[in-house]
């Protein structure tokens, strides 16, 4: 007050206890009775109308020492008189405070009554006495129970802050009990990390990894994380977005800071530098914990099955930690069998002279393991990773390389494999030989493909469709088409132009080349090229724009194979009848089988 009189700018907000004035949210009048050891007992009273009174307490209960606060609740706030409501409040915000918090509770106990007075009353009510066996009478006396209501102080905050103890002193059972009380999970946790950070700032934390992923793990409407923030054992909030990144939202635990102010608001939290340091440390410790789990193969399989999407989301979002998170990824590959392999193990198995990590994306393992894109890679003995999770497309787009080895897609342009001089010479000869057919196919397909080239990635299949090095893959195109709220304009510039790669060593292509050289306007060539293109769309992972036309082509091939004459009236303008059908029925039949 003296400082205020001297003209000093003293803001009383936040100086008079933590959140004291919040009492007026529920109370219309507050009385504070306080007694100091060396002073008289005083009463502070206010109805929050901008004024208060302080008087000496002469008539009230003598406290001896300490403070008593009495709240006169508003009519619409009487729920705060309920025992259950108060217990929940204390459990949420002050469960770990070192000072004992007791609640005046009503207790109902059952008491056995066997005194004579009660018996006499009973006799009077009945009006007559019956002769009864003495033993039975004694039993009745024993059985007689009445309910007695008593009041007593009950300690509410019994749970001790486990994180204040040393990790080596805490048993697995204690961690498990704490995890269950913190998360309401019925299962034990998979792993735990208990640590403290000291130095410029101090905080203690316990992080738990659950055994299962919650069903709503990526639901945007739920709270952003499961880390509870405490300041000196007082609960502050459990939905602080700045505390941990979204991809680690499955990690549960508590953080107890010694440096944050108790009466911190959400706005100040967002700009608080201490919080940024805490976040950085939490992410670092989470990654450490993941590596600890990875040491046990069985535990890591459980963890990876539940949270692999989170790790991949982390690679997409967290550029600082993406190289570390990449070490935690596991994929099936052409050489891994039923087991999954890490990128690190892949690098150790790389062939001599192999500089890139090869991968293929697709809808499922079954869909990619026999893909035409893998034929040459398998023949040369290169291992290819199967990336069949939709989020892999996004993660790999960010990762690009691992330990200096570039990640190369088997379905995109730019796949360069080592070739001997003989192979190069043979390739050039075939390129020249099939140049005419490439031009004919391009003329027939028009804008459907950007170019037609001789392939060096297919061995058995007649052809395949590859996408540009920097656009969407066929799998990514499928994923984007499936988005319910997608932006259609994006597909225009992100969908790659397709390049048709033909296999010059395939007998279908050889026969097609001969026919095209003989007559490039041959209608059967056009029909077969369109059929090959549509088949290649499917085997390369794309979807057909017009499945009916494709179906009709297949039906006509079947008719041809079965030597069924096609009615002239059914002929379609888009699909001219195959010429010389009778003359070449056998050749065409064998060709049809190869297409199948």
């Amino acid at each position: 007050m003296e400082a205020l009189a001297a003209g000093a700018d003293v803001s009383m907000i936040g100086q008079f206890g933590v959140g004291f004035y919040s009492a007026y949210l529920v109370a219309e009048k507050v009385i504070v009775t306080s007694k100091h050891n060396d002073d008289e007992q005083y009463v502070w009273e206010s109805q929050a109308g901008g004024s208060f009174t302080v008087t000496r307490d002469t008539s009230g209960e003598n406290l001896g020492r300490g403070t008593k606060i009495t709240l006169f609740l508003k009519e619409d706030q009487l729920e705060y008189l309920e025992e259950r409501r108060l217990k929940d409040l204390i459990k949420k915000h002050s469960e770990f405070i070192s000072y004992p918090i007791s609640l005046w509770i009503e207790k109902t106990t059952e008491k056995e009554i066997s005194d004579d007075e009660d018996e006499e009353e009973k006799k009077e009510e009945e009006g007559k006495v019956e002769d009864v066996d003495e033993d039975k009478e004694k039993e009745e006396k024993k059985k007689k129970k009445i309910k007695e209501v008593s009041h007593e102080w009950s300690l509410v905050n019994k749970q001790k802050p486990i994180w204040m103890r040393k990790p080596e002193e805490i048993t697995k059972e204690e961690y498990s009990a704490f995890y269950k009380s913190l998360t309401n999970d019925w299962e034990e946790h998979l792993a735990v990390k208990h640590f403290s950070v000291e130095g410029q700032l101090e905080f203690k934390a316990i992080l738990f990894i659950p055994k299962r992923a919650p069903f709503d793990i990526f639901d945007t409407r739920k709270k952003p994380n499961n880390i509870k923030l405490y300041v000196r054992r007082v609960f502050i909030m459990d939905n602080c977005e700045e505390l941990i990144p979204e991809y680690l939202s499955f990690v549960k635990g508590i953080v107890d800071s010694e440096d944050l102010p108790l009466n911190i608001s959400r706005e100040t939290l967002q700009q608080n530098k201490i919080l940024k340091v805490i976040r950085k440390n939490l992410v670092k410790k989470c990654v450490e914990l993941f590596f600890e789990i990875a040491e046990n193969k069985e535990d890591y399989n459980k963890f990876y099955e539940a949270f692999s999407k989170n790790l991949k989301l982390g690679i997409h979002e967290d550029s600082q930690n993406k190289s570390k998170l990449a070490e935690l990824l596991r994929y099936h590959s052409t050489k891994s069998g039923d087991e999954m392999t890490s990128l690190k193990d892949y690098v150790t198995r790389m062939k001599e002279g192999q500089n890139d990590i090869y991968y293929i994306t697709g809808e499922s393992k079954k869909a990619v393991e026999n893909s035409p894109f893998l034929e040459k890679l398998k023949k040369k003995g290169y291992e290819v990773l199967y990336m069949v999770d939709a989020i892999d497309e996004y993660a790999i787009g960010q990762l690009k390389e691992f330990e200096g080895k570039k990640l190369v897609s088997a379905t995109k342009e730019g796949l360069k494999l080592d070739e001997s001089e003989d192979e190069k010479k043979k390739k050039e000869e075939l390129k020249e030989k099939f140049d005419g057919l490439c031009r004919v196919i391009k003329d027939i397909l028009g804008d459907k493909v950007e170019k037609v080239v001789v392939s060096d990635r297919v061995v058995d299949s007649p052809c395949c469709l590859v996408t540009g090095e920097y656009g969407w893959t066929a799998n990514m195109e499928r994923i984007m088409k499936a988005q319910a709220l997608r932006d259609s304009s994006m597909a225009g510039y992100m969908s790659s132009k397709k390049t048709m790669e033909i296999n010059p060593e395939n007998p279908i292509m050889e026969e097609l080349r001969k026919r095209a050289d003989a007559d490039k306007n041959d209608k059967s060539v056009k029909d077969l090229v369109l059929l090959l293109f549509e088949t290649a769309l499917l085997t390369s992972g794309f979807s057909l724009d017009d499945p009916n036309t494709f179906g009709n082509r297949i039906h006509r091939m079947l008719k041809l194979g079965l030597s069924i004459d096609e009615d002239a009236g059914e002929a379609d303008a888009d699909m001219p009848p195959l010429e010389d059908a009778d003359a070449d029925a056998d050749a065409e039949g064998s060709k049809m089988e190869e297409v199948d």
Side-chain angles (χ1 to χ4, degrees):
M1 289 305 224
E2 285 169 10
L4 202 61
D9 179 24
V10 178
S11 171
M12 290 301 283
I13 297 171
Q15 307 296 316
F16 188 44
V18 178
F20 172 77
Y21 291 111
S22 65
Y24 288 102
L25 294 171
V26 295
E28 53 194 12
K29 184 168 82 170
V30 179
I31 295 177
V32 181
T33 310
S34 192
K35 169 78 173 73
H36 188 275
N37 255 358
D38 309 324
D39 203 352
E40 301 288 338
Q41 188 163 309
Y42 285 92
V43 176
W44 179 97
E45 188 177 326
S46 174
Q47 291 189 348
S51 63
F52 60 88
T53 58
V54 179
T55 53
R56 225 173 98 187
D57 191 6
T58 50
S59 56
E61 166 202 354
N62 188 12
L63 293 177
R65 181 187 174 190
T67 302
K68 180 172 86 170
I69 300 175
T70 311
L71 305 182
F72 295 83
L73 294 185
K74 297 173 182 173
E75 276 185 28
D76 58 342
Q77 300 294 338
L78 296 179
E79 59 169 310
Y80 291 102
L81 294 175
E82 293 168 20
E83 190 182 303
R84 179 79 253 158
R85 186 79 173 89
L86 288 170
K87 272 189 177 172
D88 288 345
L89 267 178
I90 296 164
K91 185 176 164 59
K92 184 176 180 183
H93 292 276
S94 306
E95 191 178 11
F96 303 107
I97 285 178
S98 50
Y99 308 110
I101 299 172
S102 296
L103 192 62
W104 185 251
I105 62 162
E106 188 178 276
K107 207 170 185 182
T108 307
T109 50
E110 285 193 341
K111 198 174 179 184
E112 287 184 359
I113 298 290
S114 60
D115 58 333
D116 297 333
E117 284 176 23
D118 192 62
E119 211 173 83
E120 280 170 23
E121 278 172 24
K122 195 177 178 186
K123 281 176 184 176
E124 280 171 24
E125 280 171 23
E126 288 172 3
K128 61 177 181 174
V129 183
E130 289 177 11
D131 291 332
V132 284
D133 191 19
E134 278 184 16
D135 292 336
K136 278 186 181 177
E137 206 174 294
K138 281 177 186 174
E139 276 175 33
E140 274 180 29
K141 281 181 186 175
K142 283 177 190 174
K143 286 177 191 172
K144 179 134 177 81
K145 288 179 182 177
I146 63 159
K147 285 186 178 178
E148 198 171 75
V149 176
S150 60
H151 291 83
E152 62 179 52
W153 288 105
S154 165
L155 184 66
V156 184
N157 59 336
K158 292 173 189 169
Q159 185 87 26
K160 294 287 170 272
I162 197 172
W163 62 87
M164 299 304 288
R165 290 158 59 191
K166 290 180 181 174
E168 55 269 23
E169 293 173 3
I170 303 167
T171 63
K172 193 183 175 188
E173 288 71 31
E174 284 179 301
Y175 276 130
S176 180
F178 180 71
Y179 168 73
K180 286 176 181 175
S181 74
L182 184 77
T183 62
N184 297 323
D185 199 346
W186 69 88
E187 276 187 308
E188 286 189 1
H189 55 280
L190 180 68
V192 60
K193 187 89 170 166
H194 182 181
F195 63 95
S196 59
V197 173
E198 289 167 358
Q200 284 183 318
L201 89 158
E202 279 183 43
F203 74 88
K204 290 180 168 62
I206 299 185
L207 303 174
F208 293 99
I209 306 291
K211 283 187 177 175
R212 293 164 294 99
F215 67 93
D216 59 350
I217 189 165
F218 293 112
D219 188 350
T220 51
R221 290 166 296 176
K222 73 178 183 76
K223 64 181 182 183
N225 64 53
N226 289 293
I227 305 288
K228 292 187 175 184
L229 176 64
Y230 287 79
V231 174
R232 297 189 283 285
R233 267 71 63 214
V234 177
F235 173 72
I236 303 297
M237 63 171 74
D238 61 356
N239 60 348
C240 179
E241 291 176 38
E242 283 70 37
L243 208 52
I244 202 160
E246 189 189 349
Y247 73 91
L248 293 175
S249 63
F250 66 92
V251 179
K252 300 179 179 187
I254 69 103
V255 173
D256 188 1
S257 168
E258 297 290 331
D259 302 283
L260 287 166
L262 265 174
N263 55 349
I264 192 160
S265 69
R266 190 178 296 272
E267 288 73 28
T268 13
L269 256 179
Q270 285 167 349
Q271 284 127 32
N272 202 296
K273 286 178 183 172
I274 296 169
L275 216 61
K276 285 176 184 163
V277 180
I278 292 175
R279 179 190 173 109
K280 194 177 178 183
N281 276 283
L282 287 182
V283 174
K284 183 182 163 190
K285 294 292 180 183
C286 283
V287 175
E288 277 178 28
L289 182 54
F290 301 158
F291 276 101
E292 284 169 24
I293 299 170
E295 287 168 19
N296 181 323
K297 196 174 181 183
E298 195 182 324
D299 281 353
Y300 194 71
N301 285 344
K302 281 184 202 166
F303 169 78
Y304 196 76
E305 192 182 334
F307 305 113
S308 59
K309 282 186 171 66
N310 295 73
L311 295 177
K312 291 165 186 176
L313 183 63
I315 288 172
H316 184 256
E317 290 183 349
D318 190 349
S319 54
Q320 280 184 308
N321 293 293
K322 68 179 179 184
S323 54
K324 274 193 172 172
L325 291 170
E327 291 179 40
L328 294 161
L329 298 180
R330 301 287 184 270
Y331 293 107
H332 287 288
S333 78
T334 48
K335 292 184 180 177
S336 70
D338 292 333
E339 295 291 315
M340 292 178 101
T341 184
S342 67
L343 293 172
K344 224 177 184 102
D345 289 343
Y346 178 101
V347 171
T348 60
R349 292 196 296 268
M350 278 169 72
K351 282 184 72 181
E352 200 178 325
Q354 183 184 343
N355 300 316
D356 301 324
I357 296 170
Y358 300 112
Y359 70 91
I360 182 168
T361 56
E363 195 169 355
S364 65
K365 187 184 170 196
K366 200 173 180 183
V368 295
E369 58 191 356
N370 294 315
S371 170
F373 296 111
L374 305 183
E375 291 170 357
K376 191 67 169 273
L377 289 162
K378 280 181 183 174
K379 193 179 179 184
K380 284 188 170 283
Y382 291 126
E383 187 175 1
V384 185
L385 298 171
Y386 301 145
M387 298 191 178
V388 293
D389 199 346
I391 200 166
D392 284 325
E393 288 279 2
Y394 298 90
I396 295 304
Q398 289 295 322
L399 195 58
K400 292 188 173 65
E401 63 169 41
F402 179 78
E403 291 185 356
K405 306 278 189 290
K406 193 180 173 190
L407 285 148
V408 175
S409 171
T411 67
K412 287 186 172 186
E413 282 183 319
L415 181 70
K416 292 179 177 65
L417 302 173
D418 289 338
E419 293 174 321
S420 64
E421 285 302 314
D422 289 345
E423 284 175 328
K424 281 180 185 174
K425 193 178 177 185
K426 190 182 175 187
K427 186 184 169 183
E428 283 303 316
E429 285 172 7
L430 287 168
K431 205 172 177 181
E432 209 173 299
K433 187 179 176 184
F434 278 80
D435 188 48
L437 178 63
C438 287
R439 282 203 299 271
V440 168
I441 293 173
K442 171 65 181 143
D443 290 342
I444 292 168
L445 297 176
D447 292 338
K448 290 177 183 174
V449 292
E450 191 178 17
K451 55 186 173 181
V452 181
V453 294
V454 171
S455 178
D456 57 355
R457 78 176 87 204
V458 284
V459 176
D460 302 318
S461 305
C463 59
C464 66
L465 291 167
V466 300
T467 53
E469 197 174 342
Y470 302 104
W472 286 345
T473 59
N475 188 49
M476 188 64 169
E477 205 170 293
R478 177 185 66 80
I479 292 163
M480 294 309 285
K481 277 182 181 175
Q483 303 298 319
L485 304 173
R486 69 192 172 106
D487 177 13
S488 304
S489 62
M490 200 176 177
Y493 53 88
M494 285 305 290
S495 296
S496 279
K497 289 281 186 186
K498 300 170 188 71
T499 299
M500 190 175 192
E501 292 192 1
I502 61 169
N503 178 7
E505 292 172 340
N506 186 285
I508 292 177
M509 284 300 169
E510 179 60 32
E511 182 61 32
L512 208 56
R513 182 190 67 78
K514 287 175 186 172
R515 288 195 171 212
D517 286 351
D519 179 10
K520 65 178 182 182
N521 296 318
D522 189 339
K523 287 179 180 177
S524 64
V525 171
K526 183 185 176 187
D527 206 34
L528 287 167
V529 164
L530 288 167
L531 184 61
L532 280 169
F533 171 73
E534 285 164 349
T535 311
L537 273 174
L538 291 174
T539 56
S540 302
F542 293 96
S543 56
L544 293 171
D545 291 334
D546 187 359
N548 289 331
T549 308
F550 174 71
N552 290 338
R553 286 189 212 287
I554 294 293
H555 298 151
R556 290 180 58 209
M557 291 296 283
L558 287 169
K559 283 180 182 178
L560 191 66
L562 295 166
S563 305
I564 298 169
D565 290 333
E566 188 149 4
D567 295 331
E570 286 180 14
D572 195 321
D574 286 339
M575 293 180 293
L578 299 171
E579 290 183 0
D580 305 316
D582 298 328
D584 296 314
D586 295 336
E588 293 290 358
S590 65
K591 237 185 281 182
M592 176 208 61
E593 283 164 22
E594 283 178 61
V595 169
D596 285 350

